[in-house]
Amino acid sequence: MQKTGARVVINPFYKGGISTSIRKGIRVVDPASEGILIALGDQPFLKAATINVLVRAFARAFAVRDRPIIVPSFRGKRGHPVIFHRTFAKELLRLKGDVGARSILERHPGDVGSVRVRSEGVLKDIDTREDYRKATTERR
């Protein structure tokens, strides 16, 4: 079996909001990693090819010391996952409650690089049974 480098981390405090999951993940990031990719767990239409596009964009931006945050964009709307340079780890660790990292994007607009992608999977997440029903109906 090929080693992927992925680690599964269980967050027993998930009821405290998405920030608890972000903090849990940040604490186990490999110290040699330059980037931190934050993805939602409920995006079934997110494609591996889209993640690869974002990772390549991050690598290019990092190489020229430009745009240390990479966000996917589909038809002008920002989505997920988002890649942060490791210098944002402390800010990510300070997040509280049921909020993601949007506040960091708002505080650092000049650091955000938007990457146009061809898949609307970056915008769609499944939060409710109704979301699931609509998503599976639309896909048929």
Side-chain angles (χ1 to χ4, degrees):
M1 187 163 156
Q2 182 180 4
K3 184 177 177 183
T4 65
R7 289 179 66 184
V8 175
V9 180
I10 306 298
N11 176 16
F13 307 108
Y14 65 91
K15 289 183 181 178
I18 193 171
S19 67
T20 64
S21 294
I22 291 172
R23 289 194 311 268
K24 189 80 170 171
I26 296 299
R27 289 186 181 109
V28 298
V29 169
D30 185 322
S33 297
E34 293 295 338
I36 300 164
L37 185 144
I38 297 180
L40 303 178
D42 58 356
Q43 286 188 284
F45 307 116
L46 183 62
K47 297 178 179 182
T50 301
I51 293 172
N52 291 337
V53 166
L54 297 172
V55 169
R56 283 192 299 273
F58 178 80
R60 282 192 305 274
F62 177 72
V64 295
R65 305 262 188 253
D66 184 40
R67 309 289 184 197
I69 303 171
I70 299 296
V71 179
S73 172
F74 180 78
R75 295 186 181 158
K77 293 182 182 177
R78 286 183 174 174
H80 291 92
V82 177
I83 305 177
F84 292 87
H85 187 270
R86 71 174 301 101
T87 56
F88 290 93
K90 287 182 182 177
E91 278 188 74
L92 290 163
L93 284 168
R94 286 193 295 264
L95 294 172
K96 300 283 185 215
D98 197 26
V99 295
R102 181 174 295 155
S103 62
I104 296 172
L105 301 178
E106 291 168 353
R107 279 194 301 277
H108 302 278
D111 290 330
V112 179
S114 184
V115 177
R116 288 185 1 199
V117 297
R118 292 188 223 160
S119 173
E120 69 179 324
V122 299
L123 302 179
K124 292 190 176 249
D125 63 343
I126 307 287
D127 292 324
T128 65
R129 287 183 187 265
E130 179 62 18
D131 291 343
Y132 177 77
R133 188 195 61 71
K134 283 174 53 179
T136 55
T137 302
E138 290 172 4
R139 288 290 210 212
R140 291 183 190 164

